[in-house]
């Protein structure tokens, strides 16, 4: 193994030991997925040295990979099963898609930036991850034509979970993400579980996850 590969492998091990396990991540499937995936492959080369830091990592203007601990705890709360179908809203370079691909049977990644989507496809192919599909399109309304989904992950903070996206959950399906008011310094991670026509939710913990683009509320009319 080359020196750089050894360094990244050690960084992944330290991520598990110092970020995930001390912060209530106990799901061994989630831990194994994140311990196996080369997170550095999903960030620009100039940022690979900080790929495993305990914070969101910038990958393009206005776009980030989620902080490892936040992502791991969200996936843990979703209790993902091997036979399920998942949707990632804001697939970006594909890291969150790749993690989910190790936990369940099929993952669809929705991405508005065609360049990021192309990069994601190349990285996923290079890693031999073949149970995923990437779809180009606006993020705000999800992907109703491919639903329903057992799991929906927002890979970034949004001001609200729209009724249109909630309706894309299968009965018993779970939506996980971060709700953050525009301009607020911090948001809250939330788990929504569909029960028929009801969508009860549970607030989990605070997170400073950056906002996803395309969810801005229209400005009110000003005289």
């Amino acid at each position: 193994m080359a020196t750089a590969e050894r360094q990244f492998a050690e960084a992944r091990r330290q991520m598990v030991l110092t970020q995930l396990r001390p912060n209530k991540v106990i799901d061994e499937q989630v831990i194994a997925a994140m311990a196996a995936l080369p997170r550095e492959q999903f960030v620009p080369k100039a940022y690979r040295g900080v790929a495993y830091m305990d914070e969101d990592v910038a990958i393009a203007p206005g776009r980030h990979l989620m902080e490892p601990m936040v992502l791991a705890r969200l996936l843990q709360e979703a209790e993902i099963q091997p036979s399920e179908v998942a949707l990632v809203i804001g697939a970006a370079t594909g890291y969150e898609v790749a993690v989910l691909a190790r936990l369940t049977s099929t993952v669809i990644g929705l991405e508005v930036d065609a360049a990021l989507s192309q990069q994601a496809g190349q990285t996923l192919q290079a890693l031999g991850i073949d149970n995923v599909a990437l779809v180009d399109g606006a993020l705000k309304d999800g992907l109703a034509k491919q639903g329903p989904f057992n799991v929906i992950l927002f890979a970034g903070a949004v001001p609200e979970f729209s009724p249109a996206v909630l309706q894309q959950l299968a009965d018993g399906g779970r939506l996980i993400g971060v709700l953050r008011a525009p301009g607020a310094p911090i948001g809250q991670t939330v788990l929504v579980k569909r029960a028929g026509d009801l969508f009860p939710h549970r607030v989990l913990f605070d997170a400073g996850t950056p906002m996803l683009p395309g969810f801005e509320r229209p400005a009110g009319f000003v005289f």
Side-chain angles (χ1 to χ4, degrees):
M1 183 183 294
T3 300
E5 291 177 343
R6 287 198 299 269
Q7 291 174 339
F8 285 128
E10 176 61 19
R12 280 193 294 280
R13 191 178 77 87
Q14 289 298 321
M15 176 186 70
V16 170
L17 293 177
T18 65
Q19 298 177 44
L20 305 190
R21 292 195 182 277
N23 284 289
K24 303 180 181 179
V25 180
I26 60 174
D27 187 316
E28 293 299 332
Q29 297 301 314
V30 172
I31 290 172
M34 295 183 67
L37 279 169
R39 185 173 164 94
E40 72 278 3
Q41 297 294 322
F42 296 88
V43 304
K45 290 183 179 180
Y47 293 99
R48 289 183 177 178
V50 297
Y52 294 95
M53 292 185 66
D54 56 343
E55 59 185 42
D56 306 280
V57 178
I59 52 175
R63 302 302 297 275
H64 301 76
L65 294 193
M66 296 182 76
E67 179 184 344
M69 182 275 290
V70 173
L71 175 63
R73 288 191 62 184
L74 283 172
L75 296 177
Q76 175 174 271
E77 291 290 341
E79 298 181 338
I80 299 164
Q81 302 302 308
S83 61
E84 293 185 320
V85 177
L87 171 68
V88 176
I89 296 179
T93 55
Y95 179 72
E96 290 86 357
V97 171
V99 175
L100 268 164
R102 298 184 70 93
L103 301 174
T104 195
S105 67
T106 304
V107 184
I108 299 174
L110 178 63
E111 178 50 49
V112 68
D113 186 320
L116 287 178
S117 183
Q118 182 179 19
Q119 182 181 343
Q122 293 170 348
T123 304
L124 293 167
Q125 183 178 22
L127 293 174
I129 300 173
D130 58 6
N131 60 330
V132 304
L134 298 173
V135 178
D136 293 339
L139 306 181
K140 189 170 186 178
D141 294 323
L143 199 61
K145 64 182 179 181
Q146 298 287 346
F149 303 99
N150 304 108
V151 177
I152 298 176
L153 166 67
F154 279 88
V158 295
E160 62 184 358
F161 302 140
S162 73
V165 173
L166 291 171
Q167 289 294 335
Q168 293 167 34
L169 284 173
D171 194 18
R174 289 85 65 209
L175 182 150
I176 45 178
V178 179
L179 289 179
R180 184 173 180 178
I186 201 162
Q188 293 181 316
T189 57
V190 176
L191 168 70
V192 180
K193 185 172 183 178
R194 182 170 190 173
D197 292 329
L198 301 177
F199 298 89
H201 73 279
R202 180 160 57 94
V203 175
L204 305 172
F205 56 94
D206 292 343
T209 306
M211 303 292 288
L212 274 177
F215 291 84
E216 299 81 4
R217 294 179 176 134
F221 185 79
V222 178
F223 288 96

